[in-house]
Amino acid sequence: MIYYDNGSWLGLVFRFSGTVWEKTWHLVLAVVVGCLVVFYFEELLCIPAGSAGHTIFGSTLSYLLVFRANAASKRYWDGRTIFTQTFTNLRHFVMVMCVA
């Protein structure tokens, strides 16, 4: 269990134990090293990479971000609707019980 200290946000930001970094740090390191190797050889051999990759990646990332935001908004409004219906039904139940 992770205990949070409200006075020390810096320790929370740079926490390693109890987070997903314990299981994924080696994968992140492998990707960073791979990217650095590709960048180094690109600069060494003067190979123009172009911007098509950035365009495709940016378009895909923005689509996925909008999709996630839309799905989260839908879940929020579904939950709020159910919450409102529950309290409306509860209020109606209490009114019926008070009258009867």
Side-chain angles (χ1 to χ4, degrees):
M1 174 155 205
I2 300 174
Y3 294 104
Y4 297 104
D5 181 16
N6 293 339
S8 173
W9 64 269
L10 197 60
L12 182 65
V13 171
F14 294 110
R15 181 181 308 269
F16 184 77
S17 64
T19 63
V20 72
W21 287 109
E22 287 180 323
K23 296 181 181 179
T24 61
W25 70 269
H26 57 281
L27 297 174
V28 173
L29 184 66
V31 169
V32 168
V33 168
C35 288
L36 288 175
V37 167
V38 168
F39 176 75
Y40 176 73
F41 281 117
E42 180 185 44
E43 290 295 317
L44 181 69
L45 301 175
C46 298
I47 301 172
S51 64
H54 291 118
T55 303
I56 293 170
F57 180 71
S59 301
T60 305
L61 191 63
S62 62
Y63 173 74
L64 292 175
L65 185 63
V66 168
F67 178 75
R68 262 187 85 136
N70 192 16
S73 176
K74 183 179 181 321
R75 283 194 311 268
Y76 169 77
W77 284 109
D78 286 345
R80 183 178 166 107
T81 302
I82 291 170
F83 189 71
T84 304
Q85 288 174 351
T86 301
F87 274 93
T88 302
N89 291 338
L90 181 64
R91 189 179 313 122
H92 180 69
F93 175 73
V94 169
M95 287 175 54
V96 168
M97 292 308 288
C98 288
V99 172

